[in-house]
Amino acid sequence: NAGVTQTPKFQVLKTGQSMTLQCAQDMNHNSMYWYRQDPGMGLRLIYYSASEGTTDKGEVPNGYNVSRLNKREFSLRLESAAPSQTSVYFCASTFLALSYEQYFGPGTRLTVT
Amino acid sequence: QKEVEQDPGPLSVPEGAIVSLNCTYSNSAFQYFMWYRQYSRKGPELLMYTYSSGNKEDGRFTAQVDKSSKYISLFIRDSQPSDSATYLCAMSAGGGSNYKLTFGKGTLLTVNP
């Protein structure tokens, strides 16, 4: 099992550009999450998907959109990137019943100039 | 007051020392308490979890929860250089169809040989 995979690993964008971060899991998990991690701020939830076909806002959703493409895949889109979105982005997944154990991907390091 | 407070450190100890990591919280609805370990440039991974109050031991690691004081701790005995990482506490109220985790900012630990 690959677990949770994320692409790309690194990305540099100019202000105003758009991009989509991809996440996939092969553990048959129902719930998936997108976090951002910034120095001194910890992990903050952007969006989550409790199950296929549903998405909900987290703590810091502004400037982002998500798509739960199917049970395996959950993408995060930045429509018009801003320097404040420079961060490390982590995707995570979990079973509903054991949701305290979230499995994280390796992260995407995004820089917006 | 933030829901979860965690001293970011950094904390530097010699090999073999006992390490104590702590978090405080304000939301009395939290019932599930977790510690995640994050190595440099990697995603977090679940280290230990505890439900409600009490202690849990796993090898060199002990997690303690004191709900009356809204205080949780992680103790590492006989610390090793391989324990050098950022330790994140996380909490959840549970319930419903989706469990959201609230993370502390993380404490950076370095164990020196």
Side-chain angles (χ1 to χ4, degrees):
Chain A
N1 284 349
V4 178
T5 56
Q6 292 183 238
T7 55
K9 285 187 170 52
F10 303 92
Q11 184 71 47
V12 179
L13 289 179
K14 294 189 188 312
T15 297
Q17 288 185 318
S18 62
M19 79 161 296
T20 299
L21 281 63
Q22 306 285 356
C23 174
Q25 52 89 12
D26 62 1
M27 297 173 284
N28 200 35
H29 285 173
N30 292 301
S31 300
M32 298 184 74
Y33 308 79
W34 276 106
Y35 293 91
R36 60 178 289 173
Q37 187 174 39
D38 303 290
M41 300 297 290
L43 277 166
R44 293 182 291 170
L45 183 64
I46 305 171
Y47 270 95
Y48 65 97
S49 172
S51 60
E52 187 179 354
T54 68
T55 60
D56 284 288
K57 295 178 181 179
E59 184 184 352
V60 289
N62 290 345
Y64 305 95
N65 285 302
V66 291
S67 294
R68 183 74 182 267
L69 304 170
N70 48 55
K71 191 171 185 178
R72 290 186 63 247
E73 299 172 288
F74 188 38
S75 63
L76 179 72
R77 182 160 178 84
L78 286 70
E79 291 291 352
S80 178
S84 60
Q85 294 178 305
T86 293
S87 187
V88 181
Y89 291 86
F90 288 101
C91 177
S93 70
T94 186
F95 286 118
L96 284 176
L98 296 175
S99 58
Y100 52 79
E101 185 164 13
Q102 293 192 4
Y103 291 80
F104 284 80
T108 294
R109 292 182 174 272
L110 175 67
T111 301
V112 183
T113 61
Chain B
Q1 181 187 6
K2 280 202 159 295
E3 274 195 304
V4 179
E5 301 274 7
Q6 183 176 10
D7 186 340
L11 186 59
S12 181
V13 302
E15 184 175 354
I18 296 173
V19 176
S20 172
L21 303 167
N22 311 293
C23 288
T24 59
Y25 62 96
S26 59
N27 187 347
S28 57
F30 287 146
Q31 299 183 75
Y32 298 87
F33 304 92
M34 292 131 271
W35 287 96
Y36 280 78
R37 178 174 60 194
Q38 185 177 21
Y39 291 114
S40 181
R41 295 184 173 265
K42 301 288 187 186
E45 57 181 352
L46 181 68
L47 187 61
M48 295 189 73
Y49 90 95
T50 311
Y51 172 70
S52 192
S53 284
N55 292 2
K56 187 170 186 177
E57 189 174 320
D58 183 2
R60 296 184 295 110
F61 298 89
T62 300
Q64 285 186 352
V65 175
D66 181 351
K67 289 189 73 178
S68 62
S69 302
K70 296 192 178 69
Y71 187 89
I72 71 170
S73 301
L74 177 71
F75 297 95
I76 307 174
R77 289 185 300 280
D78 187 25
S79 56
Q80 302 295 309
S82 59
D83 295 327
S84 298
T86 296
Y87 290 80
L88 301 146
C89 63
M91 308 179 188
S92 171
S97 62
N98 183 65
Y99 295 63
K100 287 188 287 182
L101 299 185
T102 301
F103 285 87
K105 294 180 182 179
T107 300
L108 176 61
L109 171 67
T110 301
V111 181
N112 301 299

